[in-house]
Amino acid sequence: MEHSRLRTLLFMPAILACVTYAEADWLDNLADGLKDVLANGSKWVELKPNENFNTPMGARLIARRPIFNSVWFINKHVVYAVSDHWLHRSTNGGKSWEPVVELPKRAQWVQFEQSGQRGYAGSPFLLEVTDDGGKQWRTVDPAAIFTELTGKQLDEQTIDWSSAIQLSPESGEGAFSAGCHYFTTEDMGRHWSMHSVEREPGKKLCIAQSPFAVDFDNGLIVATRVGGDAVYKRQANGRWQTMCDFDKTHAILLELSYCADVIDPAITSFVSRFESFGVLPPMDYEAFDLRELNTPRASERLDGINLQDNGRRQWLSFRGQLALKLNESTDHRWQVVSNMPRLEHLYPVSRSEALGIDDYGAFLTNDAGVTWQPLGAPGSGIYEHWYQAKHNRLWATSDRELWVIDAVAEGRWKKVPTPYLVDEFATINHDSSEELLWIESNEPVLLLSRDGGITWTALEIESGDEPDYERGIDMAHCQNNPPSCLILTKDGNLITAELFDKAPRISDKANTSMPEYEYMAIEWMTVDNGDVIAYDDENARILVNEKGDSTWDERPVPHEDLFIRKVNHDGKILASSRDRLERAYLHVGKNYGKSWSDLRLKGWEGSVRFLCADDTLNNILIGEDGEGIAFSNDGGNRWQVIDTDPAFCGIANGYMWMFDRDFRIYALGE
């Protein structure tokens, strides 16, 4: 059975949380009032757009390409693809692309019939349609159709919640619902008819959302009404009537087979196909790394998915991913053209190489982010990690062990011998040289390396000849000038370990004690010209103990609800906070918090949030909660706009990689 050719369309309706219009107006007015007050403050930074949006100051754009959400092959030469806001066309099999139509809403889908003449592209709620192979395009807009046939208007939010358009390029039939009515077309959306659906003769229903299953051949739909789901059938007189009704939503997949009214063979077949062979557009599935198609997990991943098929080849395309194979080929392996794992951290190595980490393991790309090779994970997965740019190594803790991988040179994880088991949730700390490393152990021991991680020794806190579990280690800071480690014990005392000897020992005598100390409340600690500086996250304060003094001072912080994002070895701090409307703001501290500047930018409607920065905290990328990205290469004194949406990004080794509406690589400092 060729399930991919069934003219059955399915989609999963989105459920959105809404507030009343009165609440929305009140929030808008309050937010606008606070914004006007804050905008007059002295701490706001003026945002000046860059004349060349794509190349901010101190950077050079060296690569840019669209990220495709969906792809459709007409033949081996002509290919269509949609990015967030454009329909693109290639006439050389995807080697190069040209923009065809700008799409007003975020595009998720493109599909053509086999001849390549009739097709559509765009958002489920606003489509661009062609009948002549892409020479001319027209818009199918549910809001405009509803107004034309009813004389009434629906707001955009209601349309985007309930009125996804279903179109079949093969037959030209289509459907959507709006304002409790059901609309159908038989000519690819040129003309529409409006219908009412009856639960029983003479009793109309309100179809709340567009059908998420449509069988145009037999006039069958599965749709959501107010309060439940149902199966509906088109009668000979053109009217729609309920065949099977449920008084609950989102349970229909489990309950369709128990519907007593499903006795018509056509309906039985439809129900069977709906339960077993859904043809959801790939956008409605949880995207997965398409490299899994060539693993034993392939059948699990493809369960319930109808492949995209033009009769000559089959393929799957998600956001940033494309895998294909020829129908007539005897080789069952997929050719993965591009893949995009769900990375949580990104570390550029060069203009073409980068390391990435998802919620389990690591990946490497050497073709500028087109394909990502899985490097796997040590032990049972990566717990904590650190990218050592100097040696291009990735360090990780897992299963109470320390692991390292030189991804570009070797590409495999190696266990690093340590005298004690590591605390797998402990930070892998380092000094500015990246040669002095230290990690907390699960014992009252500090693991220490003075050769960049090749060999490790242990600094032990002992009572007599036994480990002193009463004191233990809460936090540590090590340095090479002078060679020493300052250790904060669990009882709030600071003790010193001299590193001159090959087998250094920790002093039994405390230097000083933290005031009002709470275990695990200190988020970071450092030594600056002999002064001990620490941030107490529990009480939102920076504590300072000047060299040779027994007392502690406090440095003011810009907000009581401060979250430290990054602290570098030069004393720069990047932090964020939130106000009572949950607007996020960024703060830059200098000299370990002696002075602060706020990064609330004039000209941006939303709040400012941190995206990524390099270790110097000179190159910083920030985003607005609405739209917009700003870049600074001087630590936040000057900002310029980059023409893209808030992005996932990484900055290292003089490069900035950015993924969102499109993909870009910048060379910095040129």
Side-chain angles (χ1 to χ4, degrees), residues 45-60 599 601-602 604 608 611 618-624 627-644 656 658 664 666 668 670:
V45 180
E46 186 71 37
L47 181 67
K48 296 182 179 179
N50 187 8
E51 292 181 359
N52 185 350
F53 277 166
N54 296 326
T55 308
M57 54 192 174
R60 179 170 58 90
L599 303 183
L601 304 185
K602 290 182 180 179
W604 274 14
V608 180
L611 297 176
N618 287 328
N619 297 296
I620 306 172
L621 201 66
I622 62 176
E624 184 194 9
E627 289 187 358
I629 278 184
F631 175 74
S632 173
N633 71 340
D634 62 0
N637 295 315
R638 295 178 302 157
W639 295 89
Q640 290 180 300
V641 170
I642 301 176
D643 183 27
T644 188
M656 179 167 64
M658 185 188 310
R664 308 179 192 201
Y666 293 91
L668 303 177
E670 298 187 1

Side-chain angles (χ1 to χ4, degrees), residues 49-290:
N50 187 8
E51 292 181 359
N52 185 350
F53 277 166
N54 296 326
T55 308
M57 54 192 174
R60 179 170 58 90
L61 182 65
I62 58 178
R64 182 181 183 182
R65 67 173 183 272
I67 298 176
F68 294 143
N69 298 325
S70 180
V71 176
W72 192 271
F73 290 87
I74 303 298
N75 51 50
K76 65 179 180 179
H77 300 296
V78 181
V79 190
Y80 284 92
V82 289
S83 59
D84 281 359
H85 297 290
W86 281 92
L87 172 65
H88 305 259
R89 177 173 52 209
S90 174
T91 56
N92 54 14
K95 295 179 181 178
S96 60
W97 297 86
E98 60 176 348
V100 178
V101 178
E102 185 173 8
L103 305 169
K105 292 191 177 184
R106 183 174 179 178
Q108 299 179 9
W109 192 234
V110 58
Q111 185 177 2
F112 278 78
E113 43 91 25
Q114 289 194 14
S115 72
Q117 291 299 298
R118 215 158 46 184
Y120 64 81
S123 156
F125 310 101
L126 189 68
L127 291 178
E128 297 297 318
V129 177
T130 182
D131 301 293
D132 55 10
K135 296 177 183 177
Q136 294 182 336
W137 295 84
R138 52 188 170 80
T139 302
V140 174
D141 181 358
I145 296 166
F146 178 85
T147 298
E148 178 184 351
L149 296 182
T150 67
K152 303 176 182 178
Q153 291 187 339
L154 285 178
D155 62 89
E156 184 176 0
Q157 185 180 23
T158 301
I159 290 292
D160 288 350
W161 176 61
S162 63
S163 301
I165 310 163
Q166 308 294 306
L167 273 182
S168 169
E170 293 291 341
S171 68
E173 294 175 291
F176 72 88
S177 66
C180 292
H181 297 283
Y182 184 52
F183 298 81
T184 61
T185 182
E186 296 180 351
D187 56 6
M188 206 61 180
R190 288 188 177 276
H191 303 90
W192 292 85
S193 301
M194 184 173 66
H195 312 271
S196 295
V197 177
E198 297 182 343
R199 186 167 191 169
E200 56 191 54
K203 187 176 181 180
K204 295 181 180 179
L205 279 177
C206 178
I207 301 299
Q209 293 177 321
S210 288
F212 55 91
V214 180
D215 183 342
F216 290 116
D217 287 335
N218 296 293
L220 294 167
I221 62 173
V222 175
T224 297
R225 63 171 177 80
V226 174
D229 295 331
V231 180
Y232 306 100
K233 181 174 176 59
R234 183 176 55 211
Q235 305 298 313
N237 59 7
R239 303 177 72 176
W240 290 82
Q241 189 154 337
T242 305
M243 298 301 297
C244 192
D245 199 355
F246 307 103
D247 289 325
K248 63 179 71 173
T249 59
H250 310 297
I252 196 166
L253 279 172
L254 300 175
E255 300 194 17
L256 269 175
S257 58
Y258 299 102
C259 179
D261 294 331
V262 180
I263 54 176
D264 187 308
I267 300 177
T268 303
S269 175
F270 173 57
V271 170
S272 175
R273 297 199 311 270
F274 174 69
E275 289 185 308
S276 305
F277 304 107
V279 289
L280 285 168
M283 64 183 179
D284 287 320
Y285 288 104
E286 179 183 357
F288 59 92
D289 187 348
L290 291 184

